[in-house]
Amino acid sequence: MSEDWLDTIHWNADGLIPVIAQETGTGKVLMLAWMNRESLERTLATGEAVYWSRSRRRLWHKGESSGNTQRVVQMRLDCDADTLLLEVEQHGGIACHTGRHNCFFHRYEDGGWRVVDPVLKDPEEMYGGTK
């Protein structure tokens, strides 16, 4: 596979690009994550989302611990070539490590942030105390 397509991407100073994961069918934004060249190549090779974990400083195959994988339906690059959009099938129905469907469960209301989406599965059940 030619690497020209990778060179089109405007990677940040850390060699990363932000990635929005959007649920196919609903259009719901599930999460924001990051990819480096290797994680993007692995995503294309496997058909499942593989991200770069900035906190763990390693590749992270989404669902490797929880089983909540993301099958990539299509991938798009924005007009500035500095953000990726992945349209995904969210297997297991949970994208967030908190056990919620998506990571955007706080809504600004009356001068503060309010949790508006329920926990679908206890994170302890998915990760056994680690995430």
Side-chain angles (χ1 to χ4, degrees):
M1 178 184 313
S2 168
E3 293 204 14
D4 293 344
W5 66 275
L6 285 169
D7 295 332
T8 301
I9 295 172
H10 293 161
W11 306 94
N12 72 10
D14 296 321
L16 302 173
I17 187 169
V19 182
I20 299 164
Q22 180 183 39
E23 187 172 42
T24 192
T26 69
K28 184 169 222 154
V29 174
L30 298 174
M31 57 183 276
L32 171 76
W34 296 85
M35 285 187 175
N36 62 10
R37 290 173 88 95
E38 184 180 1
S39 62
L40 181 50
E41 288 174 313
R42 286 196 186 186
T43 295
L44 290 178
T46 65
E48 291 189 345
V50 178
Y51 299 109
W52 174 256
S53 171
R54 294 179 303 161
S55 61
R56 292 175 267 175
R57 311 265 328 134
R58 69 171 181 82
L59 292 177
W60 158 45
H61 184 165
K62 178 69 175 147
E64 65 190 22
S65 299
S66 68
N68 298 305
T69 59
Q70 293 177 340
R71 187 185 73 78
V72 177
V73 175
Q74 71 172 311
M75 182 170 56
R76 294 178 179 241
L77 183 63
D78 78 335
C79 57
D80 296 321
D82 63 1
T83 304
L84 284 174
L85 175 67
L86 293 185
E87 184 181 327
V88 301
E89 282 181 359
Q90 180 61 57
H91 294 272
I94 296 172
C96 185
H97 74 278
T98 66
R100 291 177 175 86
H101 179 64
N102 68 76
C103 295
F104 297 96
F105 57 88
H106 292 99
R107 181 169 58 210
Y108 184 79
E109 291 181 1
D110 301 321
W113 295 105
R114 181 172 168 235
V115 174
V116 295
D117 294 330
V119 172
L120 301 175
K121 187 170 187 178
D122 184 343
E124 286 286 325
E125 289 180 48
M126 292 189 301
Y127 304 105
T130 63
K131 62 174 184 159

